[in-house]
Amino acid sequence: MTDRFDDYSNANVFVDYEFDRHAHQRSNPKWLERTLKKSDTRFIVIWRHRCAVTSRSLQFARADELQPADLGSPVFLGMHNQAAVFAIDLGAARAVPTAYQGWDFQGLRSIGTHLCASEAALAAFALAMVLWIRRHRFCGLCGTATTTAAAGHVLHCSNPECGERSFPRSDPAIIVLATDNERVLLGRQASWPEGRYSTIAGFVEPGESLEAAVRREVAEETGHLVSAVEYVSSQPWPFPSSLMLGFTAQVSGTAQHPTDEELEDVRWFTLDQIVTRTLNGPALLPPPMSIAYRLIERWFDQLYDEPLAQIIARRRG
Ligand SMILES: [Zn+2]
């Protein structure tokens, strides 16, 4: 079964099919200058890895609520509710800058599913851009400081003899739901909360296709071979710059090499075991905002007569 990619209602968290990035204005200094002065222009404010928020929403700050020095190199994100939105970075100092004490800054992992879909996607975009700029302050070729261009979407080496340009990057990582009929193969890392298991994931290596990465990662981490690899959907994961590419695959054999021991444990779960653990804990599944959860939910709901989301709601009572 293949998902319909125009089914916007079922998009992964951090995905907004409708968002207008307005990319044609990124290199239009006059338009940007005018837009930055407009009263309805808004700013998403990032400190460390956190976004400024109000109770259930991003805090869309006005220019006059910000320190002028912080408006030096805003990143233009696009148009949201007909208004231009920029991201600004307050840096990664341990303490909130004095002028912003009293603001509420929250990490996307904790607020991702509390925000509406379009704000979650906007926050993920803002965070990914800010983290990319922070991590590329110096040219990778000659070591000279970089400067931003194209409203924050290009970094230029300031050494005129070099002139290297770099662009925002996404690091592809595969994530795969490996099944054997009505059982699913899940693993856990030692650092995760007690009892949590999730789908198999790993970065795509240079010189490797996505489907080859799926086969390699499952073999390395679980000792199983898979076939019938099928793409499902993707999710930006700005911690700091991953793009999770979700697949399903069927376990078809045993790998020849020992596992890499990246996972503390790997085991099969039946539908009934998932229901029992979901109802009686400790919580088995990854957080609902992750594509890992969505892959498990999609498979589960195709086979079981009660939707997984309903079972989780039943536990919450
Ligand atoms: Zn350079």
Side-chain angles (χ1 to χ4, degrees):
M1 184 181 138
T2 307
D3 274 5
R4 288 164 50 92
F5 295 108
D6 55 356
D7 181 3
Y8 301 150
S9 63
N10 197 32
N12 292 316
V13 176
F14 303 141
V15 175
D16 181 1
Y17 290 90
E18 311 267 280
F19 183 60
D20 172 12
R21 295 185 175 223
H22 233 57
H24 59 286
Q25 300 290 20
R26 286 175 191 165
S27 296
N28 182 347
K30 283 187 179 156
W31 184 88
L32 290 165
E33 195 185 339
R34 217 169 43 240
T35 302
L36 280 165
K37 289 178 184 155
K38 288 179 71 175
S39 61
D40 63 350
T41 293
R42 292 291 181 264
F43 298 83
I44 294 175
V45 184
I46 294 175
W47 163 68
R48 294 178 72 99
H49 290 63
R50 301 176 191 173
C51 298
V53 295
T54 60
S55 58
R56 284 271 166 191
S57 168
L58 286 175
Q59 178 162 357
F60 289 98
R62 299 187 313 268
D64 61 12
E65 295 174 291
L66 305 167
Q67 296 300 302
D70 296 324
L71 288 166
S73 24
V75 178
F76 176 54
L77 300 174
M79 307 301 289
H80 184 255
N81 296 337
Q82 281 87 51
V85 181
F86 292 78
I88 65 162
D89 182 15
L90 301 185
R94 283 204 164 273
V96 179
T98 316
Y100 301 90
Q101 278 171 11
W103 290 41
D104 186 10
F105 291 92
Q106 295 290 336
L108 263 193
R109 287 177 195 268
S110 58
I111 56 162
T113 44
H114 299 310
L115 299 173
C116 71
S118 71
E119 288 191 16
L122 194 53
F125 182 23
L127 183 65
M129 291 300 294
V130 162
L131 296 182
W132 169 67
I133 291 170
R134 267 190 215 165
R135 294 159 73 97
H136 292 81
R137 292 183 300 134
F138 298 95
C139 174
L141 283 182
C142 74
T144 306
T146 57
T147 57
T148 56
H153 292 262
V154 179
L155 287 173
H156 266 184
C157 173
S158 54
N159 171 5
E161 287 176 18
C162 173
E164 173 76 355
R165 296 195 307 161
S166 54
F167 300 90
R169 56 183 290 172
S170 295
D171 301 327
I174 61 87
I175 184 154
V176 52
L177 181 100
T179 58
D180 169 16
N181 296 319
E182 299 197 351
R183 297 189 305 164
V184 62
L185 188 63
L186 302 177
R188 69 166 271 113
Q189 291 179 15
S191 61
W192 289 352
E194 185 198 345
R196 179 186 293 171
Y197 281 74
S198 187
T199 48
I200 307 307
F203 285 107
V204 180
E205 296 193 347
E208 189 173 49
S209 71
L210 299 176
E211 55 277 25
V214 167
R215 290 183 166 87
R216 176 183 54 75
E217 282 291 343
V218 175
E220 283 178 2
E221 294 192 2
T222 75
H224 291 282
L225 300 177
V226 289
S227 58
V229 175
E230 279 191 24
Y231 175 71
V232 179
S233 67
S234 61
Q235 182 183 37
W237 196 247
F239 308 105
S241 56
S242 299
L243 176 64
M244 308 303 296
L245 299 141
F247 291 84
T248 57
Q250 287 169 18
V251 173
S252 56
T254 305
Q256 288 184 339
H257 299 292
T259 61
D260 60 11
E261 299 184 354
E262 194 175 305
L263 297 174
E264 175 186 70
D265 188 29
V266 174
R267 63 174 75 167
W268 290 101
F269 289 90
T270 63
L271 295 162
D272 286 337
Q273 283 172 324
I274 289 175
V275 172
T276 304
R277 280 285 296 275
T278 300
L279 288 173
N280 303 318
L284 172 70
L285 300 178
M289 76 171 190
S290 64
I291 188 172
Y293 173 84
R294 290 294 190 90
L295 289 168
I296 295 167
E297 180 186 44
R298 175 177 174 273
W299 164 81
F300 184 94
D301 287 355
Q302 283 168 10
L303 296 171
Y304 203 74
D305 31 7
E306 185 179 5
L308 185 57
Q310 199 170 303
I311 296 169
I312 291 173
R314 195 140 66 80
R315 172 184 173 141
R316 290 200 191 106

